[in-house]
Amino acid sequence: MRKLMMAVVAVAGLGMTVGCQNRSEVQEERQDVAQARQGVQQEQRELQQEIAGERQEGQQEIAEQRQDVQEERQELNEAQRERMQEQQQGTGGGAMAGAQTVSGRIQSATPDAVVLIVPDQNNQQMRLRADRQTQVKREDQTLSLRDLNPGDEVRASYEVGQNGQMILRNIEVQKQSTDNTMNK
């Protein structure tokens, strides 16, 4: 009986040992799962930070490119003003104080602007903005910009505004396009 009791105690001890081992394995597995979850959450945070950083860099790059475009436009306007001043010096000045004069051929005319081709400037295009003070004449007749046609040879006086735009003051038709005289 003593042997039997010892066998029962041994079996019970063995069962408790196996049970404890299973519990510790389950607990270790739970810890592994919790660590894996923390790792995934950490990776998600890192990815979100990386995405936010990429977005910020992209927005900064766009802002820099917009600034570059604006600076290039300003440089282009400045170069155009300088060319017009050189042209004015070459033509002997304008008809009115502060105005510059240019001769050219009408490329297009709308109620608010005229585009001229200037032969003295390697056929450069000039866009002159019109306003309420703009006067249009042909042989002492007052006209509107709508009366101008492509190919008409004109002499124009303009001023350069503070924003760099060329504002048309006077435009006089020197010679009508031969295509236009047939149509009128």
Side-chain angles (χ1 to χ4, degrees), residues 42-111:
Q42 180 65 28
E43 285 183 33
Q44 286 176 337
R45 282 192 296 271
E46 290 172 0
L47 283 174
Q48 288 172 347
Q49 288 174 347
E50 188 176 327
I51 289 170
E54 293 291 329
R55 280 185 183 152
Q56 187 176 6
E57 286 178 18
Q59 290 172 346
Q60 189 173 10
E61 198 171 306
I62 289 171
E64 289 171 359
Q65 290 175 353
R66 285 181 178 160
Q67 180 67 29
D68 290 345
V69 167
Q70 185 177 9
E71 289 172 3
E72 287 178 16
R73 283 182 181 162
Q74 288 174 344
E75 289 174 9
L76 181 62
N77 284 340
E78 181 63 31
Q80 195 171 19
R81 276 193 297 267
E82 289 174 7
R83 277 192 295 242
M84 295 308 122
Q85 288 174 350
E86 289 172 6
Q87 181 180 1
Q88 182 216 5
Q89 291 171 355
T91 58
M96 54 197 290
Q100 301 176 31
T101 304
V102 64
S103 293
R105 191 172 63 263
I106 299 288
Q107 180 180 27
S108 64
T110 64

Side-chain angles (χ1 to χ4, degrees), residues 19-174:
C20 287
Q21 286 177 347
N22 284 342
R23 283 185 187 158
S24 66
E25 285 177 14
V26 168
Q27 191 172 10
E28 286 176 15
E29 297 230 356
R30 285 182 180 165
Q31 287 176 346
D32 290 344
V33 168
Q35 288 175 346
R37 283 184 182 162
Q38 287 177 346
V40 167
Q41 289 173 347
Q42 180 65 28
E43 285 183 33
Q44 286 176 337
R45 282 192 296 271
E46 290 172 0
L47 283 174
Q48 288 172 347
Q49 288 174 347
E50 188 176 327
I51 289 170
E54 293 291 329
R55 280 185 183 152
Q56 187 176 6
E57 286 178 18
Q59 290 172 346
Q60 189 173 10
E61 198 171 306
I62 289 171
E64 289 171 359
Q65 290 175 353
R66 285 181 178 160
Q67 180 67 29
D68 290 345
V69 167
Q70 185 177 9
E71 289 172 3
E72 287 178 16
R73 283 182 181 162
Q74 288 174 344
E75 289 174 9
L76 181 62
N77 284 340
E78 181 63 31
Q80 195 171 19
R81 276 193 297 267
E82 289 174 7
R83 277 192 295 242
M84 295 308 122
Q85 288 174 350
E86 289 172 6
Q87 181 180 1
Q88 182 216 5
Q89 291 171 355
T91 58
M96 54 197 290
Q100 301 176 31
T101 304
V102 64
S103 293
R105 191 172 63 263
I106 299 288
Q107 180 180 27
S108 64
T110 64
D112 61 349
V114 172
V115 177
L116 297 179
I117 303 292
V118 184
D120 292 345
Q121 296 292 321
N122 296 324
N123 292 325
Q124 171 189 341
Q125 291 183 354
M126 287 181 62
R127 187 177 197 297
L128 304 171
R129 188 177 60 83
D131 61 13
R132 292 178 187 218
Q133 298 173 359
T134 301
Q135 296 178 2
V136 182
K137 299 230 179 217
R138 178 179 55 223
E139 298 175 3
D140 295 327
Q141 282 184 314
T142 301
L143 307 172
S144 72
L145 290 176
R146 292 184 185 131
D147 296 321
L148 300 176
N149 294 298
D152 287 351
E153 292 181 25
V154 297
R155 182 169 183 86
S157 297
Y158 66 93
E159 294 176 342
V160 178
Q162 291 179 347
N163 58 2
Q165 286 186 331
M166 292 175 282
I167 303 165
L168 182 61
R169 291 293 164 229
N170 295 311
I171 187 163
E172 185 175 348
V173 177
Q174 304 289 309

